[in-house]
Amino acid sequence: MRSQSQELNILEIERLKKEKNAIILAHYYQTGDIQDIADFVGDSLALSQKASSNSADIILFAGVKFMAETAKILAPDKKVLLPDMNAGCSLADSCKAEDFKIFIKDNPGRTVISYVNTSAEIKALSDIICTSSNAVEIVESLPEDEKILFAPDRNLGNYVLNKTGRDMVIWNGTCHVHEEFSLEAIIRLKKENPKAKIIVHPECEMPVRMVADFIGSTSALLAFTQNDKGNCYIVATEAGIIHQMIKANSKKTYIPGPPVDSTCGCSECNFMKLITVEKIVNCLKNEEPEIKLNRDILLRAQKPILRMLEISEKLGL
Ligand code: 13P
Ligand code: SF4
Protein backbone atom coordinates (compact mmCIF):
# COMPACT_ATOMS: atom_id res chain seq x y z
CA MET A 1 0.00 0.00 0.00
CA ARG A 2 1.33 3.42 -1.00
CA SER A 3 1.19 6.33 1.48
CA GLN A 4 -0.59 9.56 0.55
CA SER A 5 2.71 11.36 -0.09
CA GLN A 6 3.86 8.53 -2.37
CA GLU A 7 0.58 8.78 -4.33
CA LEU A 8 1.05 12.56 -4.63
CA ASN A 9 4.60 12.11 -5.91
CA ILE A 10 3.39 9.68 -8.54
CA LEU A 11 0.63 12.05 -9.68
CA GLU A 12 3.16 14.90 -9.88
CA ILE A 13 5.56 12.76 -11.94
CA GLU A 14 2.76 11.82 -14.34
CA ARG A 15 1.75 15.48 -14.70
CA LEU A 16 5.34 16.64 -15.30
CA LYS A 17 5.99 13.86 -17.81
CA LYS A 18 2.96 14.92 -19.87
CA GLU A 19 3.70 18.64 -19.62
CA LYS A 20 7.34 18.19 -20.69
CA ASN A 21 7.01 15.20 -23.02
CA ALA A 22 9.41 13.26 -20.80
CA ILE A 23 9.96 9.55 -20.28
CA ILE A 24 11.55 7.66 -17.41
CA LEU A 25 13.95 4.84 -18.24
CA ALA A 26 14.90 2.67 -15.25
CA HIS A 27 17.42 -0.10 -14.70
CA TYR A 28 16.46 -3.33 -12.92
CA TYR A 29 18.65 -2.37 -9.95
CA GLN A 30 16.42 0.57 -9.04
CA THR A 31 14.09 0.22 -6.07
CA GLY A 32 10.70 -1.36 -6.80
CA ASP A 33 8.78 1.93 -6.42
CA ILE A 34 10.94 3.53 -9.14
CA GLN A 35 10.69 0.52 -11.46
CA ASP A 36 6.90 0.74 -11.09
CA ILE A 37 6.68 4.39 -12.18
CA ALA A 38 9.11 4.02 -15.10
CA ASP A 39 7.94 4.01 -18.72
CA PHE A 40 10.52 1.38 -19.51
CA VAL A 41 12.57 -0.95 -17.28
CA GLY A 42 15.44 -2.98 -18.68
CA ASP A 43 19.05 -4.07 -18.73
CA SER A 44 21.84 -1.91 -20.13
CA LEU A 45 21.36 -3.11 -23.72
CA ALA A 46 17.58 -2.66 -23.76
CA LEU A 47 17.92 0.77 -22.13
CA SER A 48 20.42 1.87 -24.83
CA GLN A 49 18.07 0.59 -27.52
CA LYS A 50 15.16 2.46 -25.94
CA ALA A 51 17.19 5.67 -25.55
CA SER A 52 17.99 5.62 -29.26
CA SER A 53 14.38 5.13 -30.34
CA ASN A 54 11.73 7.21 -28.58
CA SER A 55 9.86 10.41 -29.31
CA ALA A 56 10.32 12.15 -25.95
CA ASP A 57 12.01 15.54 -25.57
CA ILE A 58 13.40 14.65 -22.15
CA ILE A 59 14.80 11.33 -20.91
CA LEU A 60 15.00 11.01 -17.14
CA PHE A 61 17.39 8.18 -16.37
CA ALA A 62 16.73 6.24 -13.18
CA GLY A 63 20.06 4.44 -13.09
CA VAL A 64 23.72 5.39 -12.92
CA LYS A 65 25.80 7.99 -14.74
CA PHE A 66 27.32 5.80 -17.46
CA MET A 67 23.79 4.72 -18.46
CA ALA A 68 22.53 8.33 -18.63
CA GLU A 69 25.65 9.31 -20.61
CA THR A 70 24.99 6.47 -23.05
CA ALA A 71 21.44 7.77 -23.50
CA LYS A 72 22.80 11.30 -24.17
CA ILE A 73 25.35 9.94 -26.67
CA LEU A 74 22.57 8.10 -28.52
CA ALA A 75 20.10 10.99 -28.31
CA PRO A 76 22.27 14.14 -28.35
CA ASP A 77 19.38 16.47 -29.17
CA LYS A 78 17.33 15.37 -26.18
CA LYS A 79 17.72 16.62 -22.64
CA VAL A 80 18.95 13.73 -20.48
CA LEU A 81 18.47 14.07 -16.74
CA LEU A 82 20.03 12.06 -13.92
CA PRO A 83 18.39 12.74 -10.53
CA ASP A 84 21.68 12.41 -8.62
CA MET A 85 25.05 13.04 -10.31
CA ASN A 86 26.79 11.04 -7.56
CA ALA A 87 25.18 7.89 -8.95
CA GLY A 88 28.43 6.56 -10.39
CA CYS A 89 29.74 3.00 -10.79
CA SER A 90 32.76 1.46 -9.06
CA LEU A 91 33.52 -0.54 -12.20
CA ALA A 92 33.46 2.52 -14.49
CA ASP A 93 35.60 4.36 -11.91
CA SER A 94 38.22 1.60 -12.03
CA CYS A 95 39.13 2.62 -15.58
CA LYS A 96 40.40 6.18 -15.98
CA ALA A 97 41.06 7.57 -19.46
CA GLU A 98 44.74 8.49 -18.76
CA ASP A 99 45.51 4.92 -17.62
CA PHE A 100 43.43 3.35 -20.37
CA LYS A 101 45.35 5.24 -23.07
CA ILE A 102 48.59 3.73 -21.71
CA PHE A 103 47.00 0.24 -21.58
CA ILE A 104 45.99 0.54 -25.24
CA LYS A 105 49.47 1.81 -26.17
CA ASP A 106 51.10 -1.09 -24.30
CA ASN A 107 48.90 -3.60 -26.17
CA PRO A 108 48.99 -2.42 -29.80
CA GLY A 109 47.12 -4.05 -32.68
CA ARG A 110 44.09 -5.09 -30.63
CA THR A 111 40.43 -4.27 -31.19
CA VAL A 112 39.25 -2.38 -28.12
CA ILE A 113 35.97 -3.72 -26.75
CA SER A 114 34.66 -1.81 -23.76
CA TYR A 115 31.80 -2.76 -21.52
CA VAL A 116 29.03 -0.16 -21.42
CA ASN A 117 29.93 0.37 -17.72
CA THR A 118 32.52 3.00 -18.66
CA SER A 119 32.74 6.78 -18.90
CA ALA A 120 32.11 8.56 -22.21
CA GLU A 121 35.89 9.18 -22.42
CA ILE A 122 36.62 5.44 -22.34
CA LYS A 123 33.91 4.79 -24.93
CA ALA A 124 35.52 7.43 -27.14
CA LEU A 125 38.77 5.40 -27.01
CA SER A 126 37.01 2.13 -27.95
CA ASP A 127 36.19 0.31 -31.20
CA ILE A 128 33.04 -1.47 -30.00
CA ILE A 129 30.93 -1.32 -26.85
CA CYS A 130 29.24 -4.36 -25.37
CA THR A 131 26.88 -5.13 -22.51
CA SER A 132 26.55 -8.33 -20.50
CA SER A 133 23.67 -9.29 -22.85
CA ASN A 134 25.82 -9.31 -25.97
CA ALA A 135 29.50 -9.48 -24.92
CA VAL A 136 30.00 -13.10 -26.09
CA GLU A 137 28.22 -12.46 -29.41
CA ILE A 138 30.09 -9.20 -30.06
CA VAL A 139 33.43 -10.98 -29.58
CA GLU A 140 32.28 -13.92 -31.72
CA SER A 141 31.17 -11.54 -34.49
CA LEU A 142 34.85 -10.64 -35.08
CA PRO A 143 37.20 -12.77 -37.22
CA GLU A 144 38.73 -15.62 -35.16
CA ASP A 145 42.28 -14.32 -35.39
CA GLU A 146 41.38 -10.77 -34.29
CA LYS A 147 43.19 -9.83 -31.09
CA ILE A 148 41.04 -8.17 -28.47
CA LEU A 149 41.59 -5.74 -25.63
CA PHE A 150 38.65 -5.95 -23.20
CA ALA A 151 37.80 -3.47 -20.42
CA PRO A 152 37.05 -2.81 -17.65
CA ASP A 153 35.46 -5.86 -15.96
CA ARG A 154 37.94 -8.72 -15.47
CA ASN A 155 35.17 -11.15 -14.53
CA LEU A 156 32.99 -10.51 -17.57
CA GLY A 157 36.17 -10.50 -19.67
CA ASN A 158 37.21 -13.85 -18.22
CA TYR A 159 33.74 -15.27 -18.76
CA VAL A 160 33.82 -14.18 -22.44
CA LEU A 161 37.37 -15.52 -22.89
CA ASN A 162 36.32 -18.94 -21.50
CA LYS A 163 33.26 -19.01 -23.76
CA THR A 164 35.00 -17.93 -26.95
CA GLY A 165 38.65 -18.99 -26.53
CA ARG A 166 39.69 -15.74 -28.21
CA ASP A 167 43.00 -13.92 -27.71
CA MET A 168 42.00 -11.35 -25.10
CA VAL A 169 43.95 -8.96 -22.89
CA ILE A 170 41.70 -7.88 -20.02
CA TRP A 171 41.69 -4.77 -17.82
CA ASN A 172 41.73 -5.58 -14.10
CA GLY A 173 38.49 -3.90 -12.94
CA THR A 174 35.61 -5.19 -10.83
CA CYS A 175 32.23 -4.14 -9.52
CA HIS A 176 31.95 -3.67 -5.75
CA VAL A 177 28.64 -5.55 -5.64
CA HIS A 178 29.45 -8.54 -7.82
CA GLU A 179 32.94 -9.25 -6.45
CA GLU A 180 31.49 -9.40 -2.93
CA PHE A 181 29.25 -12.45 -3.21
CA SER A 182 30.24 -15.09 -0.67
CA LEU A 183 30.80 -18.51 -2.21
CA GLU A 184 30.56 -20.13 1.25
CA ALA A 185 27.20 -18.46 1.99
CA ILE A 186 25.85 -19.39 -1.46
CA ILE A 187 26.87 -23.05 -0.95
CA ARG A 188 25.29 -23.02 2.53
CA LEU A 189 22.04 -21.65 1.04
CA LYS A 190 22.14 -24.34 -1.63
CA LYS A 191 22.49 -27.04 1.09
CA GLU A 192 19.51 -25.56 2.94
CA ASN A 193 17.52 -25.34 -0.33
CA PRO A 194 18.78 -28.26 -2.43
CA LYS A 195 16.27 -27.65 -5.24
CA ALA A 196 17.27 -24.00 -5.61
CA LYS A 197 19.12 -23.02 -8.78
CA ILE A 198 22.07 -20.66 -8.46
CA ILE A 199 21.79 -17.89 -11.04
CA VAL A 200 24.71 -15.53 -11.49
CA HIS A 201 25.64 -12.31 -13.30
CA PRO A 202 28.89 -12.62 -15.32
CA GLU A 203 30.41 -9.76 -13.30
CA CYS A 204 30.74 -12.24 -10.39
CA GLU A 205 34.11 -13.78 -9.53
CA MET A 206 35.07 -17.11 -11.12
CA PRO A 207 34.43 -19.34 -8.00
CA VAL A 208 30.84 -18.06 -7.84
CA ARG A 209 30.40 -18.49 -11.61
CA MET A 210 31.67 -22.06 -11.28
CA VAL A 211 28.78 -23.12 -9.01
CA ALA A 212 26.16 -21.42 -11.19
CA ASP A 213 23.30 -23.30 -12.86
CA PHE A 214 22.86 -20.30 -15.16
CA ILE A 215 24.96 -17.21 -15.96
CA GLY A 216 23.51 -14.17 -17.71
CA SER A 217 22.77 -10.46 -17.82
CA THR A 218 19.98 -9.09 -15.63
CA SER A 219 17.39 -9.59 -18.40
CA ALA A 220 18.69 -13.12 -19.08
CA LEU A 221 18.45 -13.99 -15.37
CA LEU A 222 14.89 -12.64 -15.29
CA ALA A 223 13.93 -14.62 -18.40
CA PHE A 224 15.54 -17.76 -16.94
CA THR A 225 13.39 -17.59 -13.77
CA GLN A 226 10.30 -17.09 -15.96
CA ASN A 227 10.97 -19.97 -18.36
CA ASP A 228 12.63 -22.50 -16.06
CA LYS A 229 10.58 -25.32 -14.54
CA GLY A 230 12.14 -24.91 -11.06
CA ASN A 231 10.64 -22.79 -8.32
CA CYS A 232 13.50 -21.53 -6.16
CA TYR A 233 16.54 -19.40 -7.13
CA ILE A 234 19.61 -18.08 -5.34
CA VAL A 235 20.18 -14.80 -7.16
CA ALA A 236 23.80 -13.59 -7.37
CA THR A 237 23.31 -10.11 -8.73
CA GLU A 238 22.02 -6.82 -7.33
CA ALA A 239 18.84 -7.50 -5.37
CA GLY A 240 16.70 -4.94 -7.28
CA ILE A 241 16.08 -7.45 -10.09
CA ILE A 242 14.11 -9.61 -7.65
CA HIS A 243 11.28 -7.04 -7.84
CA GLN A 244 10.72 -7.96 -11.51
CA MET A 245 11.13 -11.68 -10.80
CA ILE A 246 8.36 -11.52 -8.19
CA LYS A 247 6.16 -9.44 -10.52
CA ALA A 248 6.62 -12.03 -13.27
CA ASN A 249 5.96 -15.01 -10.99
CA SER A 250 5.17 -14.48 -7.32
CA LYS A 251 4.72 -18.20 -6.65
CA LYS A 252 8.45 -18.88 -7.01
CA THR A 253 11.05 -18.14 -4.29
CA TYR A 254 14.00 -15.82 -4.94
CA ILE A 255 16.81 -15.74 -2.38
CA PRO A 256 19.28 -12.82 -2.67
CA GLY A 257 22.88 -14.06 -2.82
CA PRO A 258 24.63 -12.86 0.34
CA PRO A 259 27.78 -10.74 0.22
CA VAL A 260 30.92 -11.64 2.22
CA ASP A 261 30.27 -8.88 4.73
CA SER A 262 26.59 -9.49 5.20
CA THR A 263 24.68 -7.30 7.60
CA CYS A 264 21.50 -7.05 5.54
CA GLY A 265 21.49 -10.45 3.78
CA CYS A 266 21.28 -8.92 0.32
CA SER A 267 23.52 -7.11 -2.12
CA GLU A 268 22.73 -3.59 -3.18
CA CYS A 269 24.54 -1.14 -5.44
CA ASN A 270 24.85 1.98 -3.32
CA PHE A 271 25.14 4.12 -6.49
CA MET A 272 21.90 2.79 -7.98
CA LYS A 273 20.15 3.31 -4.66
CA LEU A 274 21.01 7.04 -4.60
CA ILE A 275 18.05 7.60 -6.92
CA THR A 276 14.75 8.14 -5.08
CA VAL A 277 11.22 9.03 -6.15
CA GLU A 278 11.56 12.42 -4.41
CA LYS A 279 14.73 13.18 -6.41
CA ILE A 280 12.92 12.17 -9.60
CA VAL A 281 10.11 14.67 -8.88
CA ASN A 282 12.60 17.52 -8.27
CA CYS A 283 14.71 16.57 -11.26
CA LEU A 284 11.72 16.59 -13.62
CA LYS A 285 10.46 19.87 -12.14
CA ASN A 286 13.81 21.73 -12.37
CA GLU A 287 15.15 19.85 -15.42
CA GLU A 288 18.43 19.26 -13.64
CA PRO A 289 20.92 17.73 -12.98
CA GLU A 290 21.41 17.39 -16.72
CA ILE A 291 24.00 15.24 -18.51
CA LYS A 292 26.30 17.47 -20.56
CA LEU A 293 29.10 16.04 -22.65
CA ASN A 294 31.93 17.51 -24.66
CA ARG A 295 30.77 17.40 -28.31
CA ASP A 296 33.97 15.79 -29.60
CA ILE A 297 33.90 13.04 -26.95
CA LEU A 298 30.18 12.49 -27.59
CA LEU A 299 30.69 12.01 -31.32
CA ARG A 300 33.68 9.71 -30.84
CA ALA A 301 31.82 7.66 -28.20
CA GLN A 302 28.78 7.37 -30.47
CA LYS A 303 30.55 5.27 -33.13
CA PRO A 304 31.40 2.20 -30.98
CA ILE A 305 27.95 2.24 -29.35
CA LEU A 306 26.24 2.36 -32.76
CA ARG A 307 28.48 -0.50 -33.87
CA MET A 308 27.25 -2.54 -30.89
CA LEU A 309 23.61 -1.71 -31.68
CA GLU A 310 24.10 -2.68 -35.35
CA ILE A 311 25.71 -6.04 -34.47
CA SER A 312 23.01 -6.70 -31.85
CA GLU A 313 20.25 -5.90 -34.34
CA LYS A 314 21.77 -8.21 -36.96
CA LEU A 315 21.96 -10.99 -34.38
CA GLY A 316 18.41 -10.34 -33.17
CA LEU A 317 19.55 -9.42 -29.65
P1 13P B 1 23.01 -5.54 -17.10
O1 13P B 1 23.37 -4.96 -18.41
O2 13P B 1 23.08 -7.04 -17.07
O3 13P B 1 21.68 -5.05 -16.65
O4 13P B 1 24.11 -5.10 -16.02
C1 13P B 1 24.33 -3.79 -15.69
C2 13P B 1 25.16 -3.66 -14.49
O5 13P B 1 25.52 -2.59 -14.09
C3 13P B 1 25.55 -4.87 -13.81
O6 13P B 1 26.18 -4.53 -12.61
FE1 SF4 C 1 28.38 -0.43 -11.43
FE2 SF4 C 1 28.35 -2.64 -9.98
FE3 SF4 C 1 26.52 -0.79 -9.54
FE4 SF4 C 1 26.44 -2.28 -11.81
S1 SF4 C 1 26.15 -2.97 -9.70
S2 SF4 C 1 26.17 -0.06 -11.64
S3 SF4 C 1 28.64 -2.52 -12.18
S4 SF4 C 1 28.74 -0.57 -9.23
Side-chain angles (χ1 to χ4, degrees):
M1 263 281 280
R2 285 177 180 142
S3 68
Q4 200 187 4
S5 72
Q6 284 169 326
E7 289 292 353
L8 286 174
N9 276 336
I10 291 167
L11 286 175
E12 181 65 349
I13 287 171
E14 285 308 320
R15 188 188 70 74
L16 288 165
K17 275 193 332 190
K18 261 196 212 115
E19 181 190 305
K20 297 174 184 247
N21 188 27
I23 53 164
I24 299 179
L25 305 185
H27 187 263
Y28 288 130
Y29 294 164
Q30 292 291 290
T31 52
D33 54 352
I34 294 177
Q35 293 188 37
D36 290 346
I37 56 165
D39 296 285
F40 183 81
V41 188
D43 70 357
S44 308
L45 177 62
L47 288 166
S48 305
Q49 288 163 332
K50 192 71 191 171
S52 68
S53 62
N54 69 81
S55 57
D57 295 317
I58 296 179
I59 297 175
L60 182 139
F61 218 106
V64 292
K65 198 171 175 192
F66 76 81
M67 296 178 173
E69 281 186 352
T70 304
K72 181 69 187 175
I73 293 165
L74 288 168
D77 298 332
K78 294 186 198 291
K79 193 174 252 190
V80 177
L81 305 173
L82 179 66
D84 189 327
M85 279 294 172
N86 292 317
C89 167
S90 59
L91 181 54
D93 286 347
S94 76
C95 192
K96 301 274 184 244
E98 318 84 81
D99 305 327
F100 196 51
K101 278 181 197 161
I102 296 169
F103 191 61
I104 294 174
K105 213 168 153 216
D106 288 348
N107 292 282
R110 289 179 177 267
T111 299
V112 179
I113 304 185
S114 295
Y115 193 29
V116 71
N117 297 39
T118 44
S119 65
E121 287 84 357
I122 296 295
K123 290 184 176 78
L125 295 168
S126 307
D127 297 306
I128 319 178
I129 303 304
C130 71
T131 75
S132 55
S133 268
N134 60 20
V136 169
E137 291 82 358
I138 296 273
V139 168
E140 279 177 341
S141 74
L142 301 175
E144 262 184 51
D145 57 353
E146 195 154 329
K147 292 184 191 317
I148 292 159
L149 185 154
F150 188 93
D153 190 66
R154 67 160 186 242
N155 293 315
L156 177 66
N158 225 274
Y159 170 73
V160 174
L161 191 156
N162 289 339
K163 281 256 173 201
T164 62
R166 296 298 179 94
D167 182 340
M168 289 170 68
V169 168
I170 301 167
W171 181 268
N172 190 20
T174 54
C175 150
H176 77 293
V177 176
H178 290 88
E179 71 172 346
E180 276 295 309
F181 285 108
S182 160
L183 179 64
E184 290 73 23
I186 288 174
I187 290 172
R188 197 186 58 242
L189 279 173
K190 173 77 178 173
K191 278 193 186 135
E192 289 163 12
N193 305 273
K195 289 201 174 140
K197 289 188 179 153
I198 301 170
I199 60 171
V200 170
H201 195 279
E203 283 177 25
C204 290
E205 298 280 351
M206 165 100 86
V208 171
R209 295 201 312 273
M210 280 175 74
V211 298
D213 293 288
F214 180 75
I215 301 174
S217 64
T218 51
S219 55
L221 297 180
L222 175 61
F224 181 80
T225 60
Q226 286 174 264
N227 302 327
D228 179 58
K229 298 243 176 329
N231 60 18
C232 184
Y233 306 91
I234 298 163
V235 183
T237 193
E238 214 269 4
I241 185 74
I242 293 177
H243 180 70
Q244 290 297 326
M245 292 174 175
I246 294 171
K247 274 178 97 168
N249 189 338
S250 60
K251 294 202 177 79
K252 295 190 177 190
T253 305
Y254 312 95
I255 307 169
V260 176
D261 176 17
S262 173
T263 43
C264 67
C266 64
S267 278
E268 292 200 334
C269 172
N270 46 16
F271 298 110
M272 284 278 180
K273 265 44 183 191
L274 282 176
I275 310 299
T276 63
V277 171
E278 289 73 20
K279 287 182 191 172
I280 291 177
V281 176
N282 287 331
C283 182
L284 268 180
K285 208 181 279 172
N286 304 322
E287 298 187 22
E288 58 177 28
E290 183 189 349
I291 297 285
K292 291 200 170 128
L293 291 172
N294 168 292
R295 188 85 190 154
D296 173 55
I297 289 179
L298 186 150
L299 292 175
R300 284 194 289 129
Q302 204 176 51
K303 274 191 203 152
I305 305 178
L306 290 177
R307 203 165 157 200
M308 166 185 84
L309 292 179
E310 275 159 30
I311 298 172
S312 295
E313 198 182 338
K314 257 189 217 144
L315 297 171
L317 297 169

